[in-house]
Amino acid sequence: MFGFEFAPKKRVHTFPKYDENQIVKPETIEKITPLVWQEHCVECAMPACYGTCAHYKKRIDGRCRLFKYGIERTKNNYSILKQNVVIDMNEWAKLETFFFPSSYSYKKLLRINRLVVFLGLFAQFFPVGKIRRFFYYLKEYITRKYGNKEKSIPDFLLCEFLNDGEDYKLNLESRANNEIRYRTVINVKKRV
């Protein structure tokens, strides 16, 4: 699930094509955790940084635009949650989420995701940034409510990256109580 409230209603990018035979099939998923991914900054000191940071670009809600076009959602019936996203990052941007200890069946999470997607799409109709931010907080509240209901921690994190641009390094880090528990760098190569 992604926070796409601040992306333009009309998509800027085209989602890359990929082999549908290589994707994870929903029927193979026993349990899945609700996560909402958002744009953040590696050096965030908001709101003081809005007046001092050379990288600050104002978003519709007054916060910093870290992704050039926000998180652009595209419908994809073959992906796990029936959607994919395209993200074009500015310097110092990072994609971040909070991990919750609950996990659900695929069908239950699909229902939660439909509600989250509806709220995000509804938010995009408002030209006022604070209203969009309200819908973001509502989505976060819903995922936290479901995410903290029960303790059934998943076995692994599954992410899929398709890169039609230049090679880049992806830093993956897991923290708990401000302590780094896991850190690695993934080299994401341009697809041939």
Side-chain angles (χ1 to χ4, degrees), residues 10 28 30 34 38 40 43 48 66 69 72 75-77 79 81 84 98 111 138 164 168 190:
K10 185 176 180 185
T28 65
E30 186 177 316
Q38 294 288 339
H40 287 278
E43 295 291 334
L66 297 152
Y69 306 103
E72 291 185 278
K75 190 174 178 181
N76 181 347
N77 289 327
S79 67
L81 292 176
N84 291 105
F98 290 99
R111 287 195 299 273
L138 185 58
D164 286 337
Y168 65 91
K190 180 178 179 176

Side-chain angles (χ1 to χ4, degrees), residues 87-128:
I87 300 171
D88 194 353
M89 294 182 169
N90 290 320
E91 193 172 5
W92 289 18
K94 70 176 178 178
L95 182 63
E96 182 176 288
T97 190
F98 290 99
F99 178 82
F100 301 108
S102 294
S103 56
Y104 297 93
S105 70
Y106 171 73
K107 287 183 179 182
K108 173 78 172 177
L109 193 74
L110 203 53
R111 287 195 299 273
I112 296 167
N113 186 63
R114 284 186 190 124
L115 174 60
V116 167
V117 167
F118 171 78
L119 292 172
L121 290 171
F122 190 68
Q124 285 184 316
F125 284 100
F126 293 96
V128 180

Side-chain angles (χ1 to χ4, degrees), residues 5-77:
E5 295 82 1
F6 300 101
K9 279 193 282 186
K10 185 176 180 185
R11 277 183 285 161
V12 176
H13 293 93
T14 302
F15 190 79
K17 302 281 185 219
Y18 63 99
D19 185 354
E20 294 157 9
N21 296 317
Q22 293 180 340
I23 63 169
V24 175
K25 306 285 187 231
E27 58 271 11
T28 65
I29 298 171
E30 186 177 316
K31 295 276 191 170
I32 190 167
T33 299
L35 302 175
V36 175
W37 296 86
Q38 294 288 339
E39 60 183 308
H40 287 278
C41 180
V42 295
E43 295 291 334
C44 191
M46 66 176 218
C49 58
Y50 298 165
T52 59
C53 181
H55 299 288
Y56 175 73
K57 292 180 180 91
K58 189 175 180 178
R59 195 169 68 181
I60 190 172
D61 64 342
R63 297 203 175 180
C64 190
R65 175 166 292 288
L66 297 152
F67 300 162
K68 291 178 185 166
Y69 306 103
I71 299 173
E72 291 185 278
R73 178 184 169 273
T74 183
K75 190 174 178 181
N76 181 347
N77 289 327

Side-chain angles (χ1 to χ4, degrees), residues 145-178:
K145 181 181 169 206
Y146 281 107
N148 287 312
K149 269 192 168 181
E150 58 186 67
K151 304 283 187 231
S152 60
I153 298 174
D155 300 275
F156 59 90
L157 175 66
L158 172 67
C159 296
E160 181 179 44
F161 302 94
L162 300 174
N163 180 19
D164 286 337
E166 299 299 317
D167 294 357
Y168 65 91
K169 292 182 186 302
L170 178 74
N171 297 312
L172 181 64
E173 185 176 279
S174 173
R175 293 174 177 250
N177 302 321
N178 287 329

